Amino acid sequence: MMRLEHKDETIGRRFRLGLLGAVSVPVLLGAGMSPAAAQAVNAGTVSATGPAVAPGGFASRVLTRKAIRHQAQSVSAVSKGTIDLLAPIASGTQAISTLPGVVISGYSSNAGTARSTISIRGVKVGFNSVPGDIETDGITNLFDGVPLNSLIQGTGFHSVQIPFGALLAGVNVIYGPGNPQDRWYDSLGGTVNFIPVQPSARAGATVSASYGSFDSQVYSAVAQSGLHDGWEAVIGLNHAFNHTFRQGEYDWPARNDQVYFKITRHFDGGHISLGGYYIHNREFRPNQIPVNPVAGVTLGGLDADAPLYSQKTSGFYSDLPNNVWFKENQVIDYIGYARLTRRISADTTLHDLFWYRHGDIIHYRINAGFIGTSSQDTEYYAPFSDTIGDKLYFDTDLKYNKLSYGAYIINAHTHDVYDGYNTALGTSRQLPASISRDVYNNLYIAGFAQDRIEPVAGLRIVPGVQIVNYDTGYDNLAPQAAIDLPGASFNAYPSVSKDFNRVQPSIGASYDVLPWATLYGNFAVTYQNPTAGNFANNQTNLPALKPVKSTDYEIGVRMDRKGLFG
């Protein structure tokens, strides 16, 4: 069970897009290999290499069935084989929908080119179309262990950031907050780590192309260098494109381009990796179709000499021309990171992850067909953020237990830019009717310690604690202009800051009652920094807010045996 305490509200719309009948044609290449050998080095397979120390379990490799069964937390994983069963237009977002308790929703929830909401046992993250939903940022999403969530914006994660299936080795999922070592600032309802293909000891390449309904196309290539003098590398490219099933003058295209690389150097007692990831998603979001006709709302705009716009009059699949209504969404990410694993003594291993992420969001909307007299029938919303972070921790193996202890520090600078204007009234992006500029500076620090005790064979007890400090500073750079924005109150709270300190205790245990059955249970108290809304809507009276609190506990049994019932 979980109890959430939060004060927030998100209002939006829900749509759905189906992409059917896609055909994928993969081509596997391996230098000097037979077709069978080439098949064996499919770039999606993670291979063990050399004498290096194994990387951190949840962060860098897909969990095995045995590892999952012995966890005190509720965890699961999506294998490369499962991902390959999905349609090529799908990304890791759709892959995790194969797990129990995970639901993907949105106006195009079957396609990786459109923003969707991820829900894990009722707690959500990402684009949200549900009016009144109070929790839209309660799950941490990771790319190869690097956090993708904004530190401040309530909908500051977009599912289109997630790699397509061709670039993925698998996905690890923690239900609930998880242990302190794997817990992040938004892990109230869960943590999802999308693990890209890792460098392999064998050279090879995978190339694929697909085409399907609604002009859906996906082209991808992954190449492995193989292991040479302790070095190995992988590079992956993916391009996806599709239209929607809507019928009208404009067919609402969407595309997603992704580039990923990782280089690893193995040495005696450890390894170091350098990785990079770029994603640019551009889509035209389909608009809402009224079930019943609304007086004056036509296919040509407000009170135009055109058929009424609704499911009953113009049809369920109809759409508006883009000179009446459109919304363009762009999501752009640049991520660079370095990971070091090194054994520093006979029983202690050091792990360090350093990363930088730059993110851009662009919303460009025209609603001239229905609010033509408004001073803001057009909007241009372009926030961006720069985040730098480091997570350093140690694992110490003792006779009956394993200690893990360390900390992470993250600093983020988020800049909101909102222009509202109407060219018919003489305003534009260069001379807007209202323009807002506001800045958030967030500094998150967390220290943690946990112990994995095995007093007797088959019993594992994991107590732990995480101490968090969430510091938020808000600077309003245009208080007068912001007064015109609906719901904004920058003039009341122009520049404020808030600092939270909380202790997050947790404990979990698992016991192998049978060779194929494990009883487990866990309890945790976690906190989250309050987040702001989008479109330059700051938090109302930031100094008066309290952090979101989650109390989570669970007990269950895992069974892993073939032929259990016959």
Side-chain angles (χ1 to χ4, degrees):
M1 297 180 63
M2 174 181 286
R3 183 175 71 248
L4 290 176
E5 301 171 12
H6 196 10
K7 294 182 179 180
D8 194 8
E9 183 171 315
T10 301
I11 299 176
R13 306 176 177 87
R14 170 176 290 180
F15 293 93
R16 190 175 182 86
L17 169 69
L19 296 171
L20 307 173
V23 178
S24 177
V25 184
V27 180
L28 303 176
L29 304 174
M33 303 179 195
S34 66
Q39 178 70 35
V41 295
N42 186 317
T45 301
V46 181
S47 301
T49 55
V53 177
F58 180 78
S60 305
R61 57 183 176 179
V62 184
L63 296 173
T64 64
R65 293 169 66 94
K66 181 179 179 180
I68 290 173
R69 187 163 66 87
H70 291 164
Q71 292 289 323
Q73 302 294 320
S74 181
V75 299
S76 190
V78 181
S79 68
K80 180 63 174 176
T82 300
I83 293 172
D84 288 342
L85 293 175
L86 300 174
I89 196 66
S91 74
T93 307
Q94 288 71 39
I96 61 174
S97 69
T98 63
L99 298 175
V102 180
V103 176
I104 307 301
S105 59
Y107 52 84
S108 183
S109 57
N110 294 328
T113 55
R115 299 175 304 164
S116 298
T117 301
I118 299 173
S119 173
I120 297 181
R121 299 195 300 194
V123 182
K124 303 177 180 64
V125 69
F127 168 83
N128 199 310
S129 318
V130 181
D133 198 328
I134 63 171
E135 181 52 71
T136 60
D137 201 25
I139 300 166
T140 296
N141 288 282
L142 309 172
F143 172 83
D144 206 11
V146 176
L148 296 175
N149 295 38
S150 164
L151 269 64
I152 193 61
Q153 290 184 315
T155 51
F157 165 79
H158 300 274
S159 62
V160 293
Q161 299 171 267
I162 297 171
F164 275 66
L167 301 188
L168 284 175
V171 188
N172 290 335
V173 177
I174 298 176
Y175 297 83
N179 289 321
Q181 176 181 323
D182 301 315
R183 186 184 307 152
W184 293 91
Y185 48 92
D186 287 335
S187 295
L188 297 183
T191 301
V192 184
N193 187 21
F194 297 92
I195 303 174
V197 292
Q198 300 295 301
S200 170
R202 301 182 66 181
T206 302
V207 178
S208 64
S210 66
Y211 185 85
S213 304
F214 315 117
D215 205 21
S216 303
Q217 307 166 46
V218 181
Y219 308 99
S220 62
V222 177
Q224 297 275 5
S225 70
L227 183 62
H228 302 282
D229 297 325
W231 292 87
E232 58 185 2
V234 61
I235 185 170
L237 312 171
N238 191 88
H239 169 74
F241 177 86
N242 62 270
H243 293 295
T244 77
F245 58 72
R246 295 294 190 92
Q247 299 172 3
E249 297 179 12
Y250 196 59
D251 47 12
W252 308 99
R255 64 176 290 172
N256 190 309
D257 295 290
Q258 301 174 347
V259 180
Y260 156 72
F261 76 88
K262 191 171 186 178
I263 302 171
T264 300
R265 172 70 167 105
H266 296 274
F267 51 83
D268 186 22
H271 55 83
I272 186 169
S273 297
L274 177 67
Y277 180 54
Y278 163 80
I279 168 265
H280 185 177
N281 191 88
R282 183 182 182 185
E283 61 162 335
F284 286 85
R285 172 184 163 185
N287 57 294
Q288 192 174 26
I289 305 176
V291 176
N292 298 303
V294 179
V297 178
T298 77
L299 288 175
L302 188 62
D303 295 323
D305 185 15
L308 291 173
Y309 181 58
S310 73
Q311 296 179 25
K312 293 184 178 180
T313 53
S314 58
F316 180 81
Y317 301 104
S318 65
D319 215 336
L320 294 169
N322 62 330
N323 65 332
V324 173
W325 186 96
F326 78 79
K327 184 173 184 180
E328 176 188 359
N329 297 312
Q330 293 191 58
V331 178
I332 306 168
D333 266 6
Y334 301 87
I335 298 174
Y337 61 102
R339 177 179 282 113
L340 171 66
T341 297
R342 183 177 181 85
R343 190 177 297 280
I344 58 177
S345 70
D347 53 17
T348 299
T349 301
L350 175 151
H351 305 270
D352 186 71
L353 171 64
F354 174 83
W355 73 94
Y356 166 78
R357 173 180 171 269
H358 175 85
D360 285 286
I361 303 293
I362 299 175
H363 288 183
Y364 181 32
R365 177 186 62 84
I366 290 179
N367 197 6
F370 300 112
I371 54 173
T373 59
S374 168
S375 63
Q376 299 176 45
D377 73 342
T378 304
E379 69 177 22
Y380 188 83
Y381 174 57
F384 63 86
S385 63
D386 290 284
T387 304
I388 187 169
D390 189 87
K391 181 177 181 179
L392 174 67
Y393 68 97
F394 302 86
D395 288 326
T396 298
D397 293 304
L398 304 175
K399 185 174 182 179
Y400 297 108
N401 59 318
K402 177 181 180 179
L403 291 171
S404 297
Y405 45 95
Y408 71 73
I409 180 170
I410 309 174
N411 182 264
H413 174 84
T414 304
H415 195 161
D416 265 5
V417 180
Y418 179 97
D419 295 343
Y421 61 95
N422 186 331
T423 54
L425 299 179
T427 57
S428 65
R429 282 178 53 192
Q430 288 71 38
L431 187 65
S434 64
I435 185 169
S436 66
R437 302 285 189 271
D438 62 297
V439 172
Y440 285 98
N441 289 293
N442 294 85
L443 179 64
Y444 288 3
I445 301 175
F448 63 87
Q450 70 180 52
D451 198 0
R452 188 175 188 269
I453 309 167
E454 298 187 33
V456 297
L459 174 63
R460 295 158 292 273
I461 303 172
V462 186
V465 64
Q466 189 179 70
I467 302 173
V468 297
N469 175 264
Y470 298 137
D471 182 78
T472 301
Y474 168 73
D475 293 317
N476 175 26
L477 304 184
Q480 292 303 314
I483 294 174
D484 297 331
L485 293 178
S489 57
F490 300 97
N491 55 321
Y493 307 103
S495 295
V496 291
S497 62
K498 183 69 174 183
D499 184 81
F500 297 110
N501 295 279
R502 292 293 188 275
V503 178
Q504 303 183 146
S506 61
I507 188 169
S510 65
Y511 179 64
D512 299 331
V513 294
L514 292 169
W516 46 268
T518 300
L519 181 68
Y520 73 95
N522 54 73
F523 172 86
V525 176
T526 51
Y527 296 88
Q528 181 192 48
N529 193 63
T531 53
N534 286 336
F535 300 100
N537 287 302
N538 72 311
Q539 297 149 314
T540 302
N541 196 4
L542 177 62
L545 294 182
K546 296 181 179 180
V548 182
K549 180 182 179 181
S550 172
T551 301
D552 190 276
Y553 48 92
E554 179 178 356
I555 187 170
V557 62
R558 296 188 182 95
M559 294 180 287
D560 185 9
R561 183 182 183 183
K562 294 183 179 180
L564 179 61
F565 298 105

